[in-house]
């Protein structure tokens, strides 16, 4: 059986949501194919393996010294293929858990943003999420929006600022933002799950919203809002030429902007994004459905995505205009609920993610990384001549 590590947690505001997604994936991995085991990254950035991590109660008040836990690390070197422990600061490394593939269930910074992906790239271990470039671009709302605009996709008008810029000259930032017209949404550039995001209807609420966003990030996006829009979401799974686009969904309780607590805690009982009330398929007609699905596939391919992503849209009820909002490169609950009604179960989704992870590593290993040149010989010659 394949040793499949399910990684979750990390130093991110979405830490708790990540735990839910990770345990869901762990539960749904085919036990006849995988030796699936949890790998928890604590809020302090320490990595742990052990049976207690399978119990969600372990995370209520996490104790790193809990019996059954082992602190581990992943050496950033090809060929080691596993998680290691070290006794003491300079102790010898010992293999604790072989690792054939990493299923990443991180959300937010230090996991979904390309940092973990870079580590697995260095270690030559296949992993299930998007690569470094797509993960980094998909985490930063300002960069992401610039890519959407370069693709000619419809996006809502916006401005952005640095936290230092806000602190030095907030009147200038307010003027630029108010030129868009209320309502406005204020967002930290590199957070998801609605954390730090606020809706502003006037100057006073705008100032409060920017202050909240500044507590979470150093770059702030201020975006033109819509009055009572419909949210439409669509997912895509695949790698390279192979893509499968999901059904579209419409969350039915989007009368107002959903906070983090409303999304994940209000009656959800730890079920993550699955717990939201939703209409699948979204009742938006064949033409609009086709456009959303085409946009989703185009975004997936342009970003160079791998695994499963979810793209979120806004539909203006008054004008009928559709806007692309953001891409989630590791969506909550892996967006399995968007594929399940179309015949792709969570278990088979995990199979697909693992398969694409291995395929991506094979593609990487099929590329040339070495180029023989005379530059070192010339440099060596220069060093020799300088000594004469």
């Amino acid at each position: 059986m394949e040793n499949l590590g399910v990684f979750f947690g990390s130093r991110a505001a979405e830490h708790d949501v990540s735990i839910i997604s990770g345990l869901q994936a762990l539960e749904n991995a085919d036990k006849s194919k995988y030796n699936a085991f949890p790998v928890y990254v604590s809020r302090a950035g320490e990595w742990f393996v052990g049976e207690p991590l399978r119990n969600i109660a372990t995370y209520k008040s996490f104790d790193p010294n809990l019996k059954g836990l082992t602190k581990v690390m992943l050496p950033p070197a090809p060929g080691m293929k596993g998680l290691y422990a070290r006794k003491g600061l300079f102790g010898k490394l010992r293999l604790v858990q072989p690792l054939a593939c990493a299923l990443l269930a991180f959300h937010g910074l230090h996991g979904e943003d390309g940092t973990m992906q870079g580590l697995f790239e260095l270690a030559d271990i296949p992993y299930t999420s998007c690569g470094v470039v797509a993960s980094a671009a998909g985490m930063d709302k300002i960069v992401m929006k610039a890519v959407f605009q370069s693709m000619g996709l419809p996006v809502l008008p916006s401005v952005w600022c640095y936290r230092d810029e806000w602190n030095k000259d907030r009147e200038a930032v307010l003027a630029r933002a108010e030129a868009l017209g209320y309502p406005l949404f204020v967002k930290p550039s590199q957070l998801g799950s609605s954390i730090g995001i606020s809706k502003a209807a006037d100057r006073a609420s705008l100032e409060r919203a920017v202050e909240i966003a500044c507590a979470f990030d150093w770059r702030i996006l201020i975006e033109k809002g819509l009055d009572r829009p419909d949210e439409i979401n669509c997912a895509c799974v695949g790698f390279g030429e192979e893509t499968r686009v999901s059904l579209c969904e419409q969350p039915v309780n989007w009368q107002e902007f959903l906070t983090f607590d409303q999304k994940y805690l209000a009656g959800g009982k730890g079920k993550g994004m699955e717990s939201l009330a939703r209409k699948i398929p979204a009742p938006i007609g064949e033409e609009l459905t086709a456009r959303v699905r085409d946009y989703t596939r185009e975004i997936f391919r342009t970003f160079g995505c791998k695994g499963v992503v979810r793209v979120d849209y806004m539909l203006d009820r008054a004008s009928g205009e559709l806007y692309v909002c953001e891409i989630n490169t590791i969506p909550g609950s892996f967006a399995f609920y968007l594929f399940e009604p179309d015949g792709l179960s969570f278990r088979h989704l995990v199979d697909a993610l693992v398969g694409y992870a291995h395929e991506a590593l094979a593609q990487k290993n099929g590329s040339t990384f070495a180029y023989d040149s005379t530059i070192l010989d010339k440099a060596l010659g220069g060093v020799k001549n300088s000594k004469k």
Side-chain angles (χ1 to χ4, degrees):
M1 290 196 298
E2 182 170 358
N3 289 306
L4 177 65
V6 180
F7 289 72
F8 52 88
S10 197
R11 294 181 295 138
E14 296 95 324
H15 175 275
D16 292 351
V17 185
S18 173
I19 293 172
I20 294 170
S21 291
L23 293 181
Q24 285 178 319
L26 192 67
E27 180 182 344
N28 284 277
D30 191 335
K31 293 176 177 57
S32 68
K33 294 181 180 179
Y34 310 109
N35 171 31
F37 59 92
V39 185
Y40 172 61
V41 182
S42 73
R43 293 183 186 274
E46 296 176 318
W47 295 29
F48 296 90
V49 295
E51 284 302 306
L53 298 175
R54 297 180 184 273
N55 185 352
I56 196 169
T58 299
Y59 308 97
K60 185 69 176 177
S61 181
F62 181 72
D63 178 7
N65 298 310
L66 181 67
K67 184 179 179 181
L69 297 183
T70 302
K71 185 177 174 180
V72 296
M73 60 181 292
L74 175 66
M80 298 190 74
K81 304 295 183 185
L83 300 172
Y84 291 75
R86 186 195 302 273
K87 188 173 183 180
L89 186 59
F90 302 105
K92 185 178 179 180
L93 288 176
R94 64 177 178 88
L95 179 64
V96 173
Q97 175 64 62
L99 179 63
C101 184
L103 194 158
L104 305 188
F106 296 115
H107 302 313
L109 294 176
H110 305 118
E112 191 180 359
D113 58 349
T115 51
M116 284 287 183
Q117 290 76 6
L119 176 58
F120 286 105
E121 290 284 354
L122 291 174
D124 267 357
I125 291 177
Y127 59 94
T128 58
S129 79
C130 290
V132 174
V133 173
S135 297
M139 192 73 249
D140 191 298
K141 293 180 175 63
I142 296 169
V143 173
M144 178 200 315
K145 193 156 190 171
V147 176
F148 291 157
Q149 288 175 309
S150 74
M151 295 171 64
L153 299 177
V155 297
L156 289 163
S158 64
V159 297
W160 65 272
C161 70
Y162 294 110
R163 178 165 52 199
D164 286 349
E165 185 181 359
W166 168 254
N167 291 332
K168 290 176 183 177
D169 191 358
R170 63 178 56 196
E171 286 300 320
V173 174
L174 289 169
R176 282 161 43 207
E178 289 183 321
L180 299 174
Y182 291 105
L184 295 168
F185 281 94
V186 183
K187 308 175 180 181
S189 187
Q190 296 193 73
L191 280 181
S193 302
S194 303
I195 295 175
I197 300 178
S198 306
K199 183 179 180 180
D202 51 37
R203 173 164 283 215
S205 58
L206 176 59
E207 290 190 75
R208 286 195 300 272
V210 177
E211 289 290 341
I212 291 171
C214 283
F216 288 98
D217 204 350
W218 69 296
R219 295 206 307 164
I220 311 301
L221 178 68
I222 305 173
E223 192 171 59
K224 171 66 177 173
L226 301 173
D227 289 318
R228 298 189 65 197
D230 286 326
E231 181 184 6
I232 307 297
N233 301 328
C234 184
C236 185
V237 63
F239 174 66
E241 289 294 319
E242 185 177 341
T243 55
R244 175 171 178 171
V245 180
S246 75
L247 298 175
C248 297
E249 68 154 336
Q250 178 186 343
V252 299
N253 52 352
W254 234 92
Q255 299 302 316
E256 282 293 335
F257 168 70
L258 293 181
T259 65
F260 175 89
D261 286 358
Q262 289 168 329
K263 273 188 176 182
Y264 296 101
L265 303 182
K269 297 181 181 179
K271 294 185 178 182
M273 289 295 289
E274 178 191 9
S275 65
L276 281 181
R278 59 184 80 253
K279 293 180 181 178
I280 304 176
I284 56 175
E286 292 183 7
E287 182 179 349
L288 187 54
T289 296
R291 196 188 334 160
V292 168
R293 299 181 84 237
D294 287 345
Y295 283 169
T296 301
R297 180 180 283 108
E298 183 181 356
I299 290 168
F300 189 97
R301 289 169 56 84
T302 299
F303 275 72
C305 293
K306 167 169 63 78
V308 62
V309 307
R310 192 188 75 238
V311 182
D312 298 344
Y313 301 83
M314 286 293 176
L315 180 63
D316 189 334
R317 296 182 187 178
S319 67
E321 291 294 322
L322 179 73
Y323 298 96
V324 185
C325 291
E326 64 180 8
I327 179 174
N328 298 272
T329 56
I330 307 180
S333 303
F334 294 92
F336 80 90
Y337 48 86
L338 292 177
F339 294 98
E340 203 168 48
D342 204 26
L344 182 64
S345 69
F346 202 156
R347 175 169 295 189
H348 290 115
L349 179 61
V350 170
D351 288 343
L353 296 179
V354 172
Y356 293 133
H358 284 288
E359 185 180 344
L361 181 60
Q363 288 281 0
K364 172 185 171 181
N365 290 337
S367 300
T368 299
F369 295 100
Y371 175 71
D372 292 328
S373 73
T374 61
I375 188 168
L376 294 180
D377 293 333
K378 291 180 179 179
L380 182 59
V383 170
K384 288 179 177 178
N385 291 333
S386 69
K387 291 180 179 179
K388 293 180 179 178

